[in-house]
Amino acid sequence: MTERTPLIAGNWKMHKTVAEALDTTRTLIALTEDVTGVDLMIAPPSVSLAPMAELLTGSRIALGAQNLHWEQQGAYTGELSAQMLASAGCSYVLIGHSERRQYFGETDETVNKRLKAALAADLIPVVCIGETDAQREAGETFSVLDNQVINGLDGLFSDDLGSLVIAYEPVWAIGTGKTASDEQAQEAHRYIRELMDRQFGKALANTVRILYGGSVKPSNVKALMAMPDVDGALVGGASLAAESFSQLAHYQA
Ligand code: PGA
């Protein structure tokens, strides 16, 4: 079986001032120094990226952005390009988070543009997909995942996608306290990996990391991570406190 280094990623969403972000980061660095065999990443609000990058240098924790624009520069007030994020010290970027899709009109087409821009700038893309409650109830989970993967990754080839990370985040489990059961997560992850196999071949399907997201916390992370196709977690609420993120990072202990 292919070894996929697990990734525990924190999405701080719109939380923490710069001072608060730096404060949490200092504690986090100290608490995660001894973590081995697991990649760690935090995606703070963009104002904290550059100052956090300085603190994180030499630490176990990589820096991620929560979004990017697909153009390199131009008259796009309020937006940030892949090059800008890389220059601020980011190595990862989240793309197509369900909150971006729900509140900011993100579509599979814009996900695709952002993904291409991220890859061109050597940022590791974390493409977020997942069904809503209504879609699951209607039995549409797999067709939603089909569309999000096929359209989101349109025009790309396996050679382009070596760094790709996919985050399966059922929308009904985000911030609700309702986690998908370990079996529900595994079923969706397996489905996504088989879809990647059909679209891009076995080699990429075996190496692509698929994270689970949606109410992951220290009490449920271990069981989720024990599922064969769950390669990590994308964590919102439980990533905000350093102690709780550190417990997630130490899930193997
Ligand atoms: P949550 O958020 O852990 O607070 O449910 C997950 C996410 O939106 O990435």
Side-chain angles (χ1 to χ4, degrees), residues 75-229:
Y76 302 101
T77 302
E79 295 294 318
L80 296 169
S81 71
Q83 289 70 18
M84 291 171 190
L85 298 175
S87 76
C90 285
S91 44
Y92 286 81
V93 61
L94 306 184
I95 297 177
H97 188 279
S98 65
E99 286 151 17
R100 303 279 335 155
R101 294 177 190 257
Q102 193 179 344
Y103 305 129
F104 302 100
E106 190 109 359
T107 61
D108 292 334
E109 196 190 346
T110 57
V111 164
N112 186 252
K113 292 186 189 183
R114 291 178 214 272
L115 173 59
K116 287 173 178 163
L119 291 168
D122 284 330
L123 291 172
I124 301 171
V126 180
V127 173
C128 305
I129 60 175
E131 80 287 358
T132 63
D133 209 3
Q135 288 165 334
R136 178 164 281 263
E137 289 300 315
E140 293 168 3
T141 298
F142 294 149
S143 67
V144 168
L145 297 177
D146 282 345
N147 285 332
Q148 290 175 335
V149 169
I150 291 167
N151 299 327
L153 275 50
D154 185 46
L156 292 161
F157 299 92
S158 58
D159 283 354
D160 306 319
L161 295 170
S163 67
L164 176 71
V165 177
I166 294 175
Y168 169 64
E169 301 204 297
V171 178
W172 49 271
I174 295 180
T176 58
K178 250 205 267 178
T179 322
S181 70
D182 306 334
E183 292 72 24
Q184 280 172 325
Q186 168 58 22
E187 182 189 40
H189 283 227
R190 167 114 307 249
Y191 185 82
I192 295 163
R193 202 175 301 286
E194 284 168 2
L195 179 58
M196 290 299 289
D197 185 353
R198 286 197 297 281
Q199 296 294 314
F200 298 101
K202 202 154 255 8
L204 185 66
N206 281 339
T207 53
V208 67
R209 290 188 289 183
I210 307 176
L211 314 184
Y212 170 77
S215 300
V216 176
K217 35 189 185 278
S219 59
N220 61 19
V221 66
K222 195 168 183 161
L224 284 162
M225 292 298 291
M227 295 290 118
D229 288 293

Side-chain angles (χ1 to χ4, degrees), residues 230-242:
V230 176
D231 307 313
L234 180 56
V235 188
S239 74
L240 291 170

